[in-house]
Amino acid sequence: MAEFKPKAIAFICNWCTYTGADLAGTSRMEYPADFRIIKVPCTGRIDAEFIIKGFEQGADGIWISGCHIGDCHYQSGNYFAQRRWSIFHDELEFLGIDTRRLKYTWISASEGRKFADEATEFVERLKELGPYEDFDQIIPKIEESGASVGGDG
């Protein structure tokens, strides 16, 4: 039987984490390629619907990573992201999404090693958890809550 290769999405900040990922790559650090990077201008702009849509589209895990607190290119975006993350985490847990499938980190442009280590840890965790097949069971809860799933998004 083939080894399970998780499908993960990484929403990462253009200014810090993406540059850290670039540093990891140019430094030839090894890390799994079992995730797709979606570069965002700032993690403060990430909405809970991005996470829900990711799982709806078949992701086994979602990773959000941005600038360290106090180092945001947009000055306060990562403060918004930190506040939203605590709300998202609780909402998603309430809806029945296994929050072990979520990861939130701060990685600066100079932390290529940290990027590689966090990516490896996340993919290994998803391999242990196995494929995420429970999303269809929580769609009724999401629709009851008034959140949109699919459609115009």
Side-chain angles (χ1 to χ4, degrees):
M1 191 162 125
E3 179 186 3
F4 166 63
K5 291 196 173 277
K7 296 176 205 160
I9 298 171
F11 292 102
I12 64 174
C13 163
N14 176 61
W15 302 102
C16 287
T17 304
Y18 186 78
T19 309
D22 190 45
L23 176 62
T26 58
S27 300
R28 300 183 185 267
M29 296 176 189
E30 289 190 29
Y31 59 89
D34 296 315
F35 55 90
R36 294 289 177 250
I37 291 176
I38 298 175
K39 198 168 38 165
V40 294
C42 180
T43 54
R45 301 295 299 165
I46 295 173
D47 188 83
E49 193 166 339
F50 293 10
I51 297 167
I52 292 169
K53 283 289 226 183
F55 284 122
E56 179 187 21
Q57 295 297 319
D60 296 307
I62 309 277
W63 178 18
I64 298 171
S65 188
C67 305
H68 287 278
I69 295 295
D71 286 337
C72 180
H73 183 79
Y74 297 102
Q75 297 175 349
S76 58
N78 51 13
Y79 289 106
F80 290 120
Q82 184 179 29
R83 274 199 313 248
R84 281 186 176 166
W85 177 251
S86 63
I87 293 167
F88 291 170
H89 189 272
D90 293 344
E91 286 177 353
L92 296 171
E93 191 172 63
F94 174 77
L95 291 172
I97 293 175
D98 183 351
T99 55
R100 294 176 299 172
R101 295 181 177 279
L102 301 167
K103 182 180 189 78
Y104 187 87
T105 59
W106 292 284
I107 298 174
S108 76
S110 65
E111 293 180 310
R113 171 51 51 206
K114 183 175 181 183
F115 179 87
D117 291 346
E118 294 286 354
T120 301
E121 184 276 328
F122 187 52
V123 169
E124 290 304 315
R125 180 188 331 161
L126 293 178
K127 284 180 180 179
E128 288 174 15
L129 292 171
Y132 187 49
E133 299 169 340
D134 297 336
F135 186 80
D136 290 340
Q137 298 172 12
I138 66 164
I139 289 175
K141 279 186 174 180
I142 293 171
E143 289 172 345
E144 275 178 32
S145 75
S148 66
V149 180
D152 301 338

